[in-house]
Amino acid sequence: LTTTDPDAAEVTHRWPQVLGDGRVLYTAHSVVGGYDDASLVMEAFPDGPRKVVHRGGYHGRYLPSGHLVFIHQGTLFAAPFDLERMELTGPPVPVIEGVWASSTWAGAQFSFSDTGTLVYVAGEGDVDSPIHWLGRDGTTTPLRDEPANWFNPRFSPDGDRLAMQINDGTQWDIWIYEWSRDTLTRLTFDPANDETPVWTPDGRHVVFSSTRGGKGVLNLYWRPSDGSGEVGRLTESENQQSPSSWHPSGRFLAFQEQSPPTGWDVKILEMEGDEASGWTPGAPTAFVEDPFDEAHAAFSPDGRFLAYDSNESGRFEVYVRPFPGPGGKWQVSADGGIWPMWSKTRPELLFGTEGGEIMVASYTAAGDSFRSERPVPWSDVHFQWLGIGARSFDLHPDGERIALRLAVDESGAAPDSVVVVTNFFDELRRLTAEGGE
């Protein structure tokens, strides 16, 4: 097994193409989402060079015609490419507009044959989406009609506001939607990407991850939720970090950190002080740290347990441990699970699946002992799966409804046809020779 190794400024490698000579072409980026600004990297295995061959695109593919193609803003671009030197020999030119692709998860719906036939799905993959309510009975109603490119929603403790990250086509920022008044307010304004909002238990602050510290590395920051005051920095690290949950006491913040030796780990940031005298973050400590990936930790409503997801079994499943530990470990999900969420009104633990299902498991807890029932679907309605770092649903504090981004087949946005282009390689040679005209 051979793996790529993200550098300090990269949080993700995805959509690889393995070439016959041992080279691998893949998309690398410093954040999850916004892949129009990503880099295309070619690496020769096992001991060859690694080189950024183009910046500003995603889902790159090398073609037998001697061209590199990639997606940028929904358009397929092509450029002549020297495979031996791993570099472009001419400028990229637009080839086909309106290819179904997603700058949110870097996927694109196109493929080609070695003889020069192209097949692709036409449309807009990054269709902005409204927000819907989903009830226990499977009924969906509009929550916010105005479509946007949003994910990682989080309800405020009182349930009146919904924080989320929204991409305006240039960057990610944190916005707060007061749904009863249909008012959307921007909370962050830095040119850097701001992601993954999490409310403090009193609702006064929103913590988030941001690259504003430089080098494309996400660290933890916070700001008063009413927009007053300045942004404060909570951590300084060369590792990528993302917040996930506050302890109900307000003293502990669970977050995930990507460490080179162990991958993603669950860590705890202890806060000292109070609102009057000010808060001081302590040194982060590890809660779960091993060779597997652990992320998306969530404190139980009473603070005695911490749920998280881990791929220790070979796929992501949801587990529960007592906090602060030590103690046992219990697996909650049965067939895959991610993004655990605790109900505040019922003894229930919810989570999502890569298939877009929302599952719910009843549980009992006594002391440091925990037992859950077999999970069942919340309803037959699915959310849109956007990738492991892009949750598209959240449970309201009343425990009876969920805000979510509907799966495209349920929102009516799915494409229903493909386009076939023959002699595509000849057209590429003509277009790249003529500068795209």
Side-chain angles (χ1 to χ4, degrees), residues 145-435:
D145 287 325
E146 185 69 24
N149 187 7
W150 62 274
F151 53 76
N152 286 327
R154 288 293 184 95
F155 279 106
S156 59
D158 61 10
D160 292 339
R161 294 169 291 172
L162 188 66
M164 69 193 97
Q165 63 185 78
I166 297 178
N167 194 300
D168 62 1
T170 302
Q171 66 186 54
W172 293 102
D173 279 298
I174 306 301
W175 295 72
I176 295 179
Y177 179 57
E178 191 172 352
W179 55 271
S180 64
R181 299 174 56 229
D182 192 25
T183 301
L184 184 67
T185 304
R186 184 174 174 178
L187 186 66
T188 62
F189 296 86
D190 192 272
N193 283 301
D194 300 318
E195 310 176 17
T196 322
V198 176
W199 296 85
T200 54
D202 60 9
R204 293 184 176 183
H205 288 81
V206 173
V207 64
F208 56 92
S209 56
S210 176
T211 58
R212 65 184 63 204
K215 300 182 180 180
V217 177
L218 292 163
N219 280 183
L220 305 184
Y221 298 78
W222 68 350
R223 188 181 187 191
S225 58
D226 61 3
S228 65
E230 300 298 322
V231 171
R233 186 167 189 167
L234 298 180
T235 61
E236 291 191 34
S237 174
E238 295 181 355
N239 298 330
Q240 305 284 355
Q241 299 173 325
S242 180
S244 54
S245 178
W246 280 98
H247 190 271
S249 68
R251 288 187 54 210
F252 305 101
L253 171 65
F255 68 97
Q256 58 204 44
E257 178 173 310
Q258 187 181 41
S259 303
T262 57
W264 288 102
D265 302 309
V266 174
K267 296 197 171 183
I268 303 296
L269 180 68
E270 184 171 1
M271 301 291 290
E272 299 178 354
D274 53 41
E275 198 66 30
S277 62
W279 294 97
T280 302
T285 58
F287 183 76
V288 185
E289 187 177 54
D290 58 34
F292 308 105
D293 285 332
E294 296 89 18
H296 310 119
F299 283 107
S300 61
D302 60 9
R304 295 191 296 122
F305 295 93
L306 194 64
Y308 62 95
D309 50 57
S310 170
N311 64 359
E312 63 180 79
S313 68
R315 65 180 176 187
F316 279 97
E317 302 282 3
V318 172
Y319 299 86
V320 170
R321 291 177 184 253
F323 181 82
K329 179 180 68 176
W330 303 273
Q331 181 175 331
V332 176
S333 57
D335 299 302
I338 190 173
W339 304 312
M341 299 178 298
W342 302 83
S343 171
K344 294 183 178 180
T345 58
R346 302 186 184 200
E348 294 179 340
L349 183 61
L350 286 76
F351 58 89
T353 72
E354 292 188 18
E357 285 187 294
I358 299 175
M359 307 295 291
V360 55
S362 299
Y363 68 86
T364 56
D368 288 340
S369 179
F370 180 89
R371 183 181 182 275
S372 63
E373 303 297 329
R374 185 174 180 84
V376 296
W378 168 276
S379 76
D380 58 359
V381 176
H382 289 58
F383 65 88
Q384 185 177 2
W385 170 260
L386 296 172
I388 195 169
R391 194 174 78 176
S392 57
F393 64 95
D394 192 42
L395 178 68
H396 190 272
D398 65 13
E400 299 300 318
R401 47 189 171 163
I402 289 171
L404 85 166
R405 182 172 182 148
L406 286 173
V408 291
D409 57 342
E410 296 181 36
S411 63
D416 58 3
S417 62
V418 298
V419 179
V420 178
V421 180
T422 58
N423 300 319
F424 179 61
F425 293 169
D426 291 339
E427 181 69 1
L428 281 184
R429 296 184 184 100
R430 183 187 69 81
L431 290 171
T432 54
E434 298 175 2

Side-chain angles (χ1 to χ4, degrees), residues 23-110:
R23 300 169 197 258
V24 177
L25 176 67
Y26 55 88
T27 301
H29 201 21
S30 60
V31 297
V32 175
Y35 287 96
D36 280 323
D37 298 325
S39 296
L40 303 179
V41 178
M42 185 167 283
E43 187 169 347
F45 286 95
D47 302 313
R50 176 186 187 272
K51 187 175 182 180
V52 175
V53 297
H54 179 73
R55 299 184 187 276
Y58 60 92
H59 208 91
R61 292 293 182 264
Y62 175 76
L63 307 188
S65 60
H67 293 85
L68 178 73
V69 295
F70 60 89
I71 297 291
H72 181 77
Q73 294 185 348
T75 296
L76 183 69
F77 282 78
F81 189 80
D82 187 316
L83 184 60
E84 184 63 28
R85 297 185 310 187
M86 299 196 303
E87 64 183 37
L88 302 182
T89 59
V93 298
V95 176
I96 297 176
E97 296 182 355
V99 175
W100 184 278
S102 173
S103 64
T104 299
W105 50 278
Q109 300 298 319
F110 73 88

